[in-house]
Amino acid sequence: MNDGYIKVAALSPKIRVADPKYNMQAILRQVKEAAQEGARVMVFPELCMTGYSCGDLFLQELLLEEAKNQLFLLAEQTAQVDAVIFVGLPFAYQDKLYNTAAALCHGKILGIVPKTFLPNYAEFYEARHFSKGMQKTVPVTLREGMTVPMGTDQLFVCDTVPGLKLAAELCEDVWAPQPPSIRHALAGAVLIVNLSASDEVTGKDVYRRDLIAGQSARLVCGYLYANASDGESTQDVVYAGQSLIAENGILLNESARFTNEAVYSEIDVQKLRSERRRMSTFEPSDADGYTVTHFSIKSSRTTLTRFIDPMPFVPGSRADRDKRCEEILSIQAMGLKKRLEHTGCRCAVAGISGGLDSTLALLVTVRAFDLLCIPRGEILAVTMPGFGTTDRTYANAVEFIRCLGADLREISIRDAVHIHFQDIGQDPYAHDVTYENSQARERTQILMDLANKYNGMVIGTGDLSELALGWATYNGDHMSMYGVNASVPKTLVRHLVRYYADTCKDRTLRTVLLDILDTPVSPELLPPKEGRISQRTEDLVGPYELHDFFLYYILRFGYRPRKVLRLALTAFDGVYESETVLKWMKTFYRRFFSQQFKRSCLPDGPKVGTVALSPRGDLRMPSDASVRIWMDEVEELEHMQDAFGIE
């Protein structure tokens, strides 16, 4: 159960300049160490067989011959290593010298990739020794009976790991305006390896990091960058390492500078292929003109070492979180501002329960009104106590509305719902779904009628997580005239409200917001017990942090249940047992499919992230689609004990 992951390693051995025999042994030691770590793709620095800083010694025949001999020996010594290995060496062909990367696998030399762009400035004079590599491959005889392709346009395709296609470039190539890796990616390469010898100057590490991460994002690929380090000559410059592993814009791992540290991670080939399928602007070209070389490695279960964020919708660091929260609040407010301007509405109507979602909706509405210079008193903030309303949520709702300066309206729904029960013959002591939904629809009717009376607009409060689960009353809280929270997941709602509390200057408002944050999530449709909330949403449908996790990986990347479970078990190791995760995963799939009809007629609302459920663009899904094949796999996982292991 590999799930599309391939373990990779960027390695930087401590070498000796102009000593291929010593360097081959140093490379071999790191190959063996990386093999023990499970790496299946290994890349070493540029010209590491001789050292990058040999200068005019590259013109010495003995050095070139010894480098090639040690390449043969390295291939022989790694015949039993189950990996594809890229190593740098100078290589002579037709009386010209090339800076190259050799690809090895199971004792065979698969091909030679020459460097395209040769720096010829400051301390680098590669053009003094090397020639620009040919793009189209040519057959090169390394020794009797051994002919391999040499050229830039090569793909190394794994026959045993679906979709794993590799290509190589060298150091300066990625710094050029048109790197070879662009062609490689369009030809199908999902993993680019770069053999580099980039010297260190102040501030260059930041640029280098951004460059590699950015290239992986631009090409929707994995990028494996191995940089020369301690061991190279320090006559004029210092090589400090900083090997990098990136995937589609995300830096997965980075070595410490001024060390010979090896770094590892796992590239998700499956995710990269999925991303490319989704991008209409990623237009792959035929691999015509490319030489394709096939190799095989064992397809095995890859132990995950990369970080799996249990809250993928929430930025990790406090600084990033605050910046993201401000940005999201602005997107929501600007969306509502435009709708108010277009309709000419100078009144908004919002139901305020004292819960998180309605709190966020009112905060956004206030911001939109401030942008339009409309007095906050034109916002009708309506609290509608019902059978399940507790003193705590009622008091918080009232105080919250007052702090913001909105027009507080209190309309109890108890009498109206009792009359409705009489009309439809509902037993008021039967606390069933009719009992609950009647309250939700009565509240929506009040809000809609107030909007009619005051020429206003009903502001929707439901969030992305509730829409995914269908946790909304159809034509009740499901409906509004503009849903400002429609693409904000529950885990993020909490952080947005927390951000507002942390940054507001009104101490009373901050106190109220903190108490709202501390209140259990509940629709409050059932009578309280001893004055406390009796109906906790997460007891009924499961933890929102799990559902948001499922939602992200199922919709964002199209992962199957098996892979989602594996990631969830890794992300929530020590938090939830595997049986618990599976239980709520079944709930998610069942509700997600069965409740699509509610999402098919959603009101308008602003998109704030990469995952949204709008039927007009983000999720075009039939309301009567079958969930069978997904549920079948979930049920199979219940009987696969090895799938429960945390890696």
Side-chain angles (χ1 to χ4, degrees):
M1 193 160 60
N2 190 52
D3 298 317
Y5 290 107
I6 186 76
K7 186 150 191 171
V8 300
L11 308 158
S12 186
K14 185 170 183 177
I15 64 163
R16 290 179 181 171
V17 178
D19 191 345
K21 291 183 179 180
Y22 178 89
N23 297 340
M24 193 283 289
Q25 292 297 328
I27 293 168
L28 183 59
R29 282 193 298 272
Q30 284 205 332
V31 166
K32 292 180 177 179
E33 291 171 3
Q36 290 180 342
E37 294 291 331
R40 295 292 183 265
V41 179
M42 308 176 193
V43 59
F44 287 86
E46 183 178 16
L47 295 170
C48 60
M49 191 66 79
T50 57
Y52 177 80
S53 47
C54 288
D56 284 354
L57 293 178
F58 283 126
L59 302 176
Q60 294 292 314
E61 187 70 28
L62 180 61
L63 182 67
L64 303 179
E65 181 180 336
E66 192 58 45
K68 187 166 67 171
N69 289 337
Q70 292 303 315
L71 178 66
F72 296 148
L73 186 57
L74 179 64
E76 294 171 7
Q77 293 291 317
T78 57
Q80 301 306 312
V81 175
D82 190 37
V84 59
I85 305 163
F86 290 85
V87 62
L89 77 160
F91 185 79
Y93 172 69
Q94 289 189 346
D95 300 325
K96 292 293 183 180
L97 187 60
Y98 297 89
N99 179 348
T100 70
L104 317 175
C105 186
H106 291 159
K108 296 181 180 179
I109 299 174
L110 303 178
I112 304 290
V113 180
K115 189 173 184 176
T116 300
F117 296 101
L118 305 174
N120 199 33
Y121 51 83
E123 66 278 5
F124 299 112
Y125 297 98
E126 283 191 43
R128 178 184 177 97
H129 311 114
F130 299 105
S131 296
K132 180 177 181 177
M134 66 289 292
Q135 184 172 327
K136 187 176 177 61
T137 61
V138 295
V140 173
T141 300
L142 299 181
R143 62 184 178 187
E144 187 176 352
M146 183 185 292
T147 300
V148 302
M150 176 178 171
T152 302
D153 288 357
Q154 293 192 66
L155 290 178
F156 302 96
V157 178
C158 183
D159 294 328
T160 49
V161 178
L164 180 59
K165 299 180 181 181
L166 299 91
E169 60 186 4
L170 290 88
C171 197
E172 189 76 12
D173 288 347
V174 73
W175 300 71
Q178 291 185 312
S181 51
I182 296 176
R183 294 197 312 274
H184 299 338
L186 294 177
V190 295
L191 178 57
I192 306 296
V193 301
N194 187 314
L195 296 78
S196 182
S198 177
D199 70 321
E200 205 63 28
V201 293
T202 302
K204 191 175 182 180
D205 62 313
V206 176
Y207 186 88
R208 188 187 294 121
R209 185 185 301 114
D210 291 345
L211 176 68
I212 299 306
Q215 189 71 348
S216 74
R218 182 185 187 190
L219 303 183
V220 193
C221 71
Y223 203 102
L224 186 54
Y225 178 91
N227 197 18
S229 187
D230 187 21
E232 289 285 356
S233 172
T234 59
Q235 183 173 349
D236 292 304
V237 296
V238 170
Y239 298 88
Q242 196 189 19
S243 295
L244 303 158
I245 302 175
E247 177 188 279
N248 197 19
I250 303 299
L251 190 65
L252 299 179
N253 207 349
E254 175 182 4
S255 68
R257 289 190 297 159
F258 308 105
T259 70
N260 294 93
E261 182 183 8
V263 290
Y264 301 90
S265 193
E266 300 79 43
I267 298 295
D268 191 344
V269 175
Q270 192 178 88
K271 181 175 77 173
L272 294 170
R273 297 176 72 195
S274 173
E275 286 291 272
R276 288 181 176 185
R277 283 195 296 270
R278 291 167 181 264
M279 289 181 62
S280 60
T281 53
F282 190 95
E283 299 179 356
S285 60
D286 293 330
D288 293 344
Y290 269 76
T291 297
V292 178
T293 303
H294 293 264
F295 67 96
S296 295
I297 54 178
K298 293 178 182 178
S299 180
S300 59
R301 188 174 175 86
T302 304
T303 299
L304 296 181
T305 60
R306 57 190 283 172
F307 175 65
I308 307 298
D309 193 341
M311 291 194 178
F313 289 108
V314 180
S317 71
R318 175 65 182 273
D320 288 344
R321 191 178 309 170
D322 288 355
K323 180 180 178 181
R324 184 75 59 85
C325 287
E326 180 62 29
E327 182 180 34
I328 291 169
L329 288 168
S330 295
I331 292 172
Q332 291 177 279
M334 289 299 291
L336 179 57
K337 171 180 175 288
K338 171 63 178 178
R339 183 55 52 93
L340 291 167
E341 286 178 319
H342 176 73
T343 58
C345 285
R346 295 182 61 83
C347 171
V349 182
I352 307 302
S353 66
L356 281 172
D357 290 344
S358 64
T359 296
L360 176 59
L362 186 54
L363 291 172
V364 169
T365 304
V366 164
R367 181 176 285 216
F369 270 58
D370 289 348
L371 290 170
L372 290 167
C373 299
I374 301 175
R376 294 183 180 185
E378 297 299 314
I379 302 171
L380 300 185
V382 189
T383 178
M384 296 168 281
F387 305 136
T389 303
T390 60
D391 292 342
R392 179 183 187 182
T393 54
Y394 169 77
N396 281 339
V398 170
E399 190 63 31
F400 173 56
I401 295 167
R402 287 173 175 164
C403 285
L404 290 180
D407 183 357
L408 170 62
R409 300 291 179 93
E410 180 178 335
I411 303 174
S412 173
I413 66 169
R414 295 184 181 93
D415 291 343
V417 174
H418 273 303
I419 293 172
H420 183 61
F421 285 166
Q422 294 174 19
D423 291 341
I424 66 173
Q426 169 70 17
D427 181 358
Y429 296 101
H431 296 165
D432 54 13
V433 67
T434 304
Y435 178 90
E436 295 185 33
N437 286 348
S438 294
Q439 298 173 71
R441 292 195 178 100
E442 177 62 27
R443 286 180 170 129
T444 301
Q445 176 179 279
I446 291 171
L447 296 175
M448 290 290 181
D449 291 345
L450 283 172
N452 289 155
K453 182 176 181 179
Y454 294 101
N455 190 29
M457 179 182 298
V458 175
I459 309 302
T461 62
D463 64 48
L464 181 70
S465 308
E466 292 177 342
L467 293 173
L469 294 167
W471 191 251
T473 299
Y474 193 83
N475 205 33
D477 55 312
H478 157 261
M479 192 47 59
S480 68
M481 296 172 182
Y482 196 74
V484 293
N485 295 340
S487 65
V488 183
K490 186 75 78 176
T491 49
L492 186 55
V493 170
R494 181 172 295 278
H495 286 281
L496 288 167
V497 175
R498 178 75 203 206
Y499 165 75
Y500 202 99
D502 289 344
T503 56
C504 72
K505 298 179 180 179
D506 186 327
R507 292 186 179 180
T508 303
L509 176 58
R510 172 180 166 81
T511 300
V512 174
L513 291 176
L514 292 178
D515 196 59
I516 291 172
L517 285 163
D518 193 47
T519 304
V521 177
S522 172
E524 290 196 320
L525 296 173
L526 296 180
K529 294 180 180 179
E530 299 179 353
R532 299 192 179 191
I533 291 173
S534 62
Q535 188 182 25
R536 295 176 181 244
T537 300
E538 292 181 291
D539 291 342
L540 301 172
V541 296
Y544 274 116
E545 62 183 357
L546 279 180
H547 288 309
D548 283 357
F549 187 90
F550 301 151
L551 175 66
Y552 180 79
Y553 284 103
I554 292 169
L555 256 63
R556 179 68 180 83
F557 301 115
Y559 287 169
R560 61 193 301 166
R562 184 180 69 190
K563 188 166 184 175
V564 176
L565 174 63
R566 182 180 180 186
L567 294 176
L569 292 177
T570 303
F572 293 99
D573 183 18
V575 180
Y576 297 107
E577 297 293 332
S578 55
E579 291 81 2
T580 302
V581 177
L582 269 170
K583 171 187 173 182
W584 297 120
M585 180 182 283
K586 290 178 72 173
T587 297
F588 181 88
Y589 276 109
R590 176 178 57 79
R591 294 192 65 99
F592 184 78
F593 275 79
S594 67
Q595 302 294 298
Q596 171 61 20
F597 74 98
K598 295 180 182 177
R599 300 187 291 267
S600 293
C601 56
L602 284 179
D604 293 353
K607 179 178 179 178
V608 302
T610 55
V611 177
L613 297 172
S614 169
R616 292 167 292 278
D618 294 288
L619 182 65
R620 302 186 183 187
M621 173 180 168
S623 298
D624 46 11
S626 173
V627 71
R628 178 176 177 176
I629 61 173
W630 289 270
M631 292 299 282
D632 284 349
E633 180 159 300
V634 174
E635 289 169 2
E636 287 175 12
L637 291 169
E638 291 181 305
H639 300 97
M640 295 173 60
Q641 295 302 315
D642 62 328
F644 296 159
I646 302 296
E647 297 180 302

